Amino acid sequence: MAKKPAAKKPAAKKAPAKPASASDDLDFVLHSLQEEFEKSKRFDATGDQMLEFYRQMLLIRRFEEKAGQLYGLGLIGGFCHLYIGQEAVAIGLQSALDNDKDSVITGYRDHGHMLAYGIDPKVIMAELTGREAGISKGKGGSMHMFSTEHKFYGGHGIVGAQVALGGGLALAHQYRDDGGLCLAYFGDGAANQGQVYETFNMAALWNLPIVFVVEDNQYAMGTSTKRSSAETRFYRRGTSFRIPGMEVNGMDVLEVRAAAEVAFKHVRDGKGPVLMELNTYRYRGHSMSDPAKYRTREEVQEQRDHHDPIERLKKTLVDAGHGEDELKAIDKEIRKIVAESADFAENSPEPAPSELYTDVLVEEY
């Protein structure tokens, strides 16, 4: 019987091309603005600028203390999240904004950001107490303040939602070619939300003018970042999207302002988004209903004694020749402003029932 022809051996398959390693991929860089920031980590403020930073931080502190008192008296209802301890973040960053062009959006710990924008404390306190004279006509309350006039777009109660909306604001700046950027704040708790990373991806793809700011106050709603986040160095979170990061001491207003100068220039030069991690600390619980039993009193006191942003700047002012009497006079002036804002709120009428039907649909913007 004739032998069957030997079967042909299959041709050897070519090995797939080896993907380029990080060292081979010239376009791959672990992006960071830290080196640029490290060249000068303290803003060279004038005496007048430092006094203004001090005054603004003190206004936030005294305002929030009064808000806490009014909440305890039942004059503020619902949730109320105080900004005590984090004042240097809002003041350091927003003092570097162009208020005619730039926009700001944040979560529900928002009173300090509105005060940093220079908005009248009276209308903010009236909003907290649900009065007609409030900046959102008493309908937003503590968590949902809004002012298109000041390009402040909230105040949002859904954790992380403001980041995606901030991407939209940045797209609007780009579309209009108005030269503005969006400053989008979120917390260490929101840093683990998926929508945050979807926004990172789109912002990087479209080269949007946005600065993402993680206000890392260490505990989110009540869980330490070490227990809830695999990567606690939040400024690295943008690396896979090629978004440069910066790590900043959020308890030092002059360092925050110096970091803002670097980050905002990067964005304004058309180089795309930046991610900033501002390490800060809140002295009160997550909200007024939070007893904060997940940390010790000693830990909080240590932060107050050695890292307080207002006391830090006060020492700098004293070393620069400003007397204690001058600084006490500023405190007295601020307390008067805050007391007047509380009196204004308490004496303002509540909204009329018909106000429930306004601002439901967008009529004009």
Side-chain angles (χ1 to χ4, degrees), residues 219 281 283 292-307:
Y219 287 99
Y281 196 87
Y283 297 159
K293 292 182 179 179
Y294 41 81
R295 59 186 183 181
T296 64
R297 290 183 179 180
E298 289 76 17
E299 177 185 314
V300 178
Q301 194 60 47
E302 195 276 335
Q303 289 287 337
R304 283 184 176 274
D305 291 343
H306 302 290
H307 304 285

Side-chain angles (χ1 to χ4, degrees), residues 146-158:
F146 201 88
S147 175
T148 54
E149 178 188 354
H150 294 88
K151 297 182 176 61
F152 181 84
Y153 294 95
H156 292 270
I158 304 299

Side-chain angles (χ1 to χ4, degrees), residues 253-268:
V253 69
L254 297 180
E255 181 170 328
V256 176
R257 176 58 189 266
E261 297 284 332
V262 175
F264 294 0
K265 182 179 187 304
H266 180 94
V267 175
R268 295 193 198 284

Side-chain angles (χ1 to χ4, degrees), residues 287-342:
S287 69
M288 285 296 296
S289 60
D290 173 19
K293 292 182 179 179
Y294 41 81
R295 59 186 183 181
T296 64
R297 290 183 179 180
E298 289 76 17
E299 177 185 314
V300 178
Q301 194 60 47
E302 195 276 335
Q303 289 287 337
R304 283 184 176 274
D305 291 343
H306 302 290
H307 304 285
D308 186 83
I310 296 174
E311 290 301 317
R312 182 193 297 267
L313 185 59
K314 182 178 180 179
K315 183 178 185 304
T316 302
L317 286 166
V318 170
D319 290 345
H322 295 275
E324 287 283 350
D325 290 344
E326 179 185 6
L327 300 181
K328 284 181 180 178
I330 293 175
D331 192 11
K332 184 177 180 181
E333 174 199 353
I334 294 299
R335 289 178 185 274
K336 181 182 178 182
I337 291 171
V338 170
E340 288 174 350
S341 72

Side-chain angles (χ1 to χ4, degrees), residues 51-355:
L51 280 173
E52 185 60 20
F53 294 162
Y54 180 75
R55 185 181 182 282
Q56 289 179 310
M57 288 197 294
L58 203 55
L59 175 61
I60 295 175
R61 177 71 59 88
R62 299 296 179 239
F63 183 95
E64 294 290 65
E65 289 170 348
K66 177 61 73 173
Q69 291 173 9
L70 297 184
Y71 189 94
L73 294 170
L75 294 171
I76 296 175
F79 290 101
C80 184
H81 305 80
L82 302 181
Y83 203 63
I84 297 173
Q86 300 181 215
E87 298 88 354
V89 176
I91 298 304
L93 291 176
Q94 289 174 229
S95 64
L97 289 176
D98 183 330
N99 292 342
D100 294 326
K101 298 178 180 178
D102 301 329
S103 58
V104 172
I105 191 166
T106 188
Y108 42 75
R109 197 181 304 277
D110 56 1
H111 320 154
H113 304 92
M114 297 203 81
L115 290 167
Y117 239 148
I119 297 173
D120 188 349
K122 291 181 179 179
V123 299
I124 301 175
M125 193 67 85
E127 187 60 38
L128 288 176
T129 52
R131 306 307 171 107
E132 184 180 24
I135 198 160
S136 296
K137 301 178 184 177
K139 297 185 292 185
S142 170
M143 297 171 66
H144 301 101
M145 298 192 196
F146 201 88
S147 175
T148 54
E149 178 188 354
H150 294 88
K151 297 182 176 61
F152 181 84
Y153 294 95
H156 292 270
I158 304 299
V159 175
Q162 74 275 15
V163 181
L165 294 172
L169 290 169
L171 179 61
H173 285 303
Q174 186 185 73
Y175 182 80
R176 294 170 181 154
D177 193 23
D178 60 14
L181 62 81
C182 176
L183 186 60
Y185 293 93
F186 58 106
D188 47 284
N192 294 320
Q193 289 281 322
Q195 59 197 318
V196 171
Y197 299 95
E198 293 176 26
T199 308
F200 282 4
N201 187 52
M202 294 174 75
L205 273 174
W206 297 345
N207 207 45
L208 297 182
I210 185 168
V211 177
F212 299 105
V213 178
V214 184
E215 292 194 78
D216 181 6
N217 59 26
Q218 316 299 322
Y219 287 99
M221 286 185 68
T223 303
S224 167
T225 54
K226 294 177 181 179
R227 294 180 58 205
S228 60
S229 296
E231 173 56 274
T232 59
R233 309 294 288 277
F234 293 102
Y235 73 99
R236 296 173 177 171
R237 295 281 188 99
T239 298
S240 59
F241 304 99
R242 303 175 188 264
I243 297 176
M246 303 174 70
E247 185 177 30
V248 186
N249 179 5
M251 303 297 273
D252 183 342
V253 69
L254 297 180
E255 181 170 328
V256 176
R257 176 58 189 266
E261 297 284 332
V262 175
F264 294 0
K265 182 179 187 304
H266 180 94
V267 175
R268 295 193 198 284
D269 286 346
K271 297 178 181 179
V274 172
L275 172 61
M276 303 178 75
E277 175 188 346
L278 278 292
N279 293 299
T280 184
Y281 196 87
R282 55 172 168 79
Y283 297 159
R284 300 289 185 91
H286 172 69
S287 69
M288 285 296 296
S289 60
D290 173 19
K293 292 182 179 179
Y294 41 81
R295 59 186 183 181
T296 64
R297 290 183 179 180
E298 289 76 17
E299 177 185 314
V300 178
Q301 194 60 47
E302 195 276 335
Q303 289 287 337
R304 283 184 176 274
D305 291 343
H306 302 290
H307 304 285
D308 186 83
I310 296 174
E311 290 301 317
R312 182 193 297 267
L313 185 59
K314 182 178 180 179
K315 183 178 185 304
T316 302
L317 286 166
V318 170
D319 290 345
H322 295 275
E324 287 283 350
D325 290 344
E326 179 185 6
L327 300 181
K328 284 181 180 178
I330 293 175
D331 192 11
K332 184 177 180 181
E333 174 199 353
I334 294 299
R335 289 178 185 274
K336 181 182 178 182
I337 291 171
V338 170
E340 288 174 350
S341 72
D343 291 341
F344 174 80
E346 290 182 52
N347 294 313
S348 296
E350 294 183 353
S354 60
E355 190 62 48

